[in-house]
């Protein structure tokens, strides 16, 4: 089957990182790593969670067209390295991008066949609680993230799917089901269709 691009977005605190890391590698997933200018959180590693860089180096990458998308989110720059994504799709991999909403819509313009999934908690109070209990940001940053979430909600209708992340295993199962269904779309199975046609013709 052809490669595929899956984009998972959602507000900070929705559990995107946790869900994405639970996606089974044996299913052909290749997780993309974003570039960002924000400081690493406790436990995050350069090259595993993000490529952490300076604002000047990020701007250079953007100007040299090395980013598939880029955006500013709560004062920090984020972007997706173009080369990795294109190489993995060419290998038939399911490339998963965990990026914010506006970046996702940028990528959708360049890859119309990309599958957009919006991940969110069941309620806004639950989201606020998750942000506070993880203890990685101050109250001002948390308020900014909640306001950003309310701005993003109207854009959900531009996504292909909405997944409510109440329990992580359930959210992972739903995403796997979406991916399996998308893989069976005829335009993603042209090699199989051509092989069938050729084999059938040779036997007639």
């Amino acid at each position: 089957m052809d490669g595929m691009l899956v984009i998972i977005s959602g507000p900070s605190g929705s559990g995107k990182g946790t869900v994405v890391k639970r996606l089974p590698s044996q299913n052909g997933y290749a997780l993309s790593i974003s570039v960002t200018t924000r400081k690493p959180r406790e436990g995050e590693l350069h090259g595993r969670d993000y490529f952490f860089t300076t604002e000047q180096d990020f701007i250079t990458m953007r100007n040299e067209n090395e980013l598939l998308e880029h955006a500013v989110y709560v004062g920090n720059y984020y972007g997706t390295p173009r080369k990795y994504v294109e190489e993995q799709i060419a290998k038939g991999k399911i490339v998963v991008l965990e990026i914010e909403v506006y970046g996702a819509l940028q990528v959708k313009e360049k890859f119309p066949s990309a599958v957009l999934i919006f991940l969110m908690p069941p309620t806004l109070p639950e989201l606020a609680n998750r942000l506070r209990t993880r203890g990685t940001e101050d109250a001002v940053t948390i308020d900014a993230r909640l306001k950003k979430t309310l701005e993003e909600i109207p854009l959900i209708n531009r996504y292909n799917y909405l997944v409510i992340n109440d329990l992580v295993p359930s959210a992972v199962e739903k995403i796997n089901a979406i991916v399996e269904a998308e893989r069976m779309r005829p335009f993603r199975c042209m090699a199989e269709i051509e092989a069938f046609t050729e084999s059938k013709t040779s036997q007639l």
Side-chain angles (χ1 to χ4, degrees):
M1 293 183 181
D2 294 342
M4 180 168 58
L5 181 59
V6 176
I7 302 174
I8 298 179
S9 302
S12 180
S14 62
K16 299 185 299 297
T18 301
V19 167
V20 166
K21 288 174 183 176
R22 297 279 188 92
L23 295 174
S25 59
Q26 65 267 28
N27 282 14
Y29 289 108
L31 307 183
S32 182
I33 301 174
S34 296
V35 180
T36 183
T37 59
R38 78 161 172 77
K39 300 297 182 182
R41 295 177 185 143
E42 184 176 355
E44 290 183 332
L45 295 178
H46 176 78
R48 184 192 69 183
D49 301 288
Y50 285 92
F51 292 116
F52 296 100
T53 190
T54 64
E55 184 173 325
Q56 183 57 53
D57 286 345
F58 187 98
I59 292 172
T60 298
M61 292 179 70
R62 182 193 65 190
N63 292 344
E64 294 181 358
N65 200 31
E66 295 178 11
L67 299 175
L68 189 58
E69 57 79 33
H70 56 84
V72 179
Y73 188 82
V74 194
N76 294 302
Y77 289 87
Y78 292 82
T80 300
R82 174 188 294 272
K83 184 178 180 181
Y84 174 85
V85 172
E86 294 178 340
E87 288 178 346
Q88 296 303 309
I89 290 178
K91 294 177 182 178
K93 294 287 187 178
I94 303 167
V95 180
V96 179
L97 301 185
E98 178 199 335
I99 54 178
E100 57 84 42
V101 173
Y102 296 100
L105 297 178
Q106 286 181 46
V107 177
K108 184 70 171 178
E109 292 181 359
K110 299 172 183 176
F111 286 88
S113 63
V115 180
L116 271 60
I117 302 173
F118 196 92
L119 189 73
M120 63 186 299
T123 65
L124 189 63
E126 170 62 19
L127 176 62
N129 181 60
R130 291 182 186 183
L131 289 172
R132 295 188 183 102
T133 55
R134 75 183 185 183
T136 57
E137 285 117 359
D138 57 27
V140 174
T141 302
I142 289 173
D143 286 343
R145 292 192 182 280
L146 292 174
K147 290 178 181 177
K148 187 72 172 178
T149 297
L150 293 176
E151 294 174 3
E152 293 173 346
I153 295 301
L155 298 174
I156 293 177
N157 62 6
R158 297 180 65 179
Y159 277 64
N160 302 110
Y161 301 93
L162 171 65
V163 172
I164 302 299
N165 183 20
D166 192 0
L167 298 173
V168 171
S170 176
V172 171
E173 184 178 345
K174 291 173 183 176
I175 291 172
N176 282 327
I178 289 169
V179 169
E180 286 305 309
E182 287 288 337
R183 293 185 80 176
M184 290 183 282
R185 289 184 180 271
F187 78 91
R188 301 190 199 279
C189 304
M190 294 310 299
E192 287 78 5
I193 294 171
E194 290 173 2
F196 173 83
T197 302
E198 291 174 1
S199 63
K200 185 67 175 178
T201 302
S202 65
Q203 296 174 19
L204 293 177

